Amino acid sequence: MSWAEAPRIAAMKPILVTGATGNVGAEIVRQLSGAGARVRAAVRGGSKAKLPEGVEVVLLDLHHPQTYRAALDGAERMFLLWPPGTNAQRDVFPFVAAAKAAGIEQVVFLSILGAQKLRIVPHRAVERRLEASGMDWVFLRSSYFMQNLATTHRDDIRLRGEIFIPAGAGRTSFVDVRDVAAVGVKALLEGHRNQAYDLTGDIALSYGEAATILSEVLGRPIRYTNPNPLHFLGEEPRRGYPLGLTLFMLAEYTAARFGLAAGITPVVSEVLGRPPTPFRRFAEDYKGVWLPD
């Protein structure tokens, strides 16, 4: 945002960011705060994540409607996500209704690429609810996050030297979370209305190719082990992942296995006026997270 827009941004009402300590939410908070916006970061109880100075922190648990009011009061725009492993109808729809009743005018929702076709995941159900809500909406239909390899699959790479993902030889148009957040921030600050943005990188890689790039950047071999889907389903809970998250990941990687995650769009470039962040740049920026202690 240009310096000339600073007074307008500073005068805006607080922007509510749900999932403010997660991959995308934390980056949304960081970029909004950097632009001078008033940010209200919604966190679940017990979160210890460090947030930028000046950010208002509120407790929000979608399982507990009594936490809705403090999070929504006085805000006009919000960033929303579906917490993996939750039930959209039980846990998200009531919050959408509360947001409308509280006066929220615009919702930027973190969805997934191809949500309009993938009925096995809950994102399209949330999209439909937002479309019917009367609030302005923006859908960030994101491809697979590069940062998942630095968070969810970090220890597989750091400790075991492997990418343990059942995606076969399918290609994925990886996108950097920082780019997804930048599109979301632009939508929030400029008041985009009723847009669905399909967000990808500028090239589709196989996980074998991603492993090769990581090997080159880290200076040690990283293997793509390509487990059988049933082996993945049995092994991930043993590695500490909740069953709900494991099932969601299996759906994602099955889509990649069958060639449904390889599509490339120019949307990041069109919205931001610059190319998407390449995978090698991501790997270099995050190199430290995969280094052994």
Side-chain angles (χ1 to χ4, degrees), residues 5-255:
E5 294 179 290
R8 177 186 66 82
I9 293 171
M12 292 172 61
K13 293 185 177 181
I15 298 174
L16 173 64
V17 180
T18 70
T21 59
N23 256 346
V24 181
E27 188 63 26
I28 292 268
V29 168
R30 187 187 70 81
Q31 292 187 27
L32 281 175
S33 180
R38 296 172 61 194
V39 184
R40 179 178 294 163
V43 302
R44 296 187 66 178
S47 174
K48 304 294 185 183
K50 182 175 176 59
L51 294 166
E53 186 176 353
V55 170
E56 177 189 0
V57 180
V58 294
L59 174 67
L60 175 64
D61 188 332
L62 297 186
H63 293 299
H64 298 287
Q66 64 268 28
T67 66
Y68 294 178
R69 182 174 179 179
L72 293 166
D73 190 35
E76 288 184 346
R77 305 178 188 190
M78 76 170 178
F79 169 75
L80 175 69
L81 51 74
W82 167 72
T86 63
N87 180 283
Q89 185 167 355
R90 182 194 65 219
D91 301 319
V92 181
F93 289 4
F95 185 66
V96 170
K100 171 63 176 176
I104 295 290
E105 298 178 358
Q106 181 213 35
V107 180
V108 173
F109 173 61
L110 179 63
S111 189
I112 62 172
L113 193 66
Q116 70 275 25
K117 302 175 185 176
L118 298 174
R119 299 185 181 278
I120 61 173
V121 295
H123 299 78
R124 182 55 186 158
V126 178
E127 288 184 355
R128 289 183 182 276
R129 184 54 59 106
L130 290 170
E131 288 169 348
S133 70
M135 296 181 285
D136 294 336
W137 50 265
V138 173
F139 303 149
L140 305 178
R141 289 179 176 163
S142 173
S143 184
Y144 186 84
F145 300 145
M146 296 176 187
Q147 277 78 358
N148 286 343
L149 297 176
T151 53
T152 303
H153 300 289
R154 179 195 64 185
D155 285 347
D156 290 339
I157 297 169
R158 183 173 70 91
L159 301 177
R160 304 178 185 94
E162 66 175 356
I163 297 178
F164 186 76
I165 286 174
R171 292 181 173 272
T172 296
S173 52
F174 294 93
V175 66
D176 195 299
V177 158
R178 295 169 293 186
D179 293 344
V180 176
V183 173
V185 165
K186 193 172 180 69
L188 286 162
L189 295 182
E190 295 180 355
H192 295 192
R193 299 180 63 247
N194 305 341
Q195 297 280 337
Y197 293 131
D198 291 347
L199 306 176
T200 75
D202 58 3
I203 188 172
L205 300 172
S206 70
Y207 281 94
E209 291 168 337
T212 296
I213 293 172
L214 287 173
S215 298
E216 293 169 354
V217 169
L218 296 176
R220 61 187 176 92
I222 304 299
R223 299 169 296 118
Y224 170 46
T225 50
N226 186 24
N228 176 283
L230 289 179
H231 177 47
F232 177 84
L233 187 61
E235 178 63 21
E236 288 300 88
R238 283 194 286 270
R239 296 189 181 191
Y241 298 100
L243 180 59
L245 177 59
T246 299
L247 290 169
F248 175 69
M249 289 193 294
L250 182 60
E252 271 196 313
Y253 300 137
T254 299

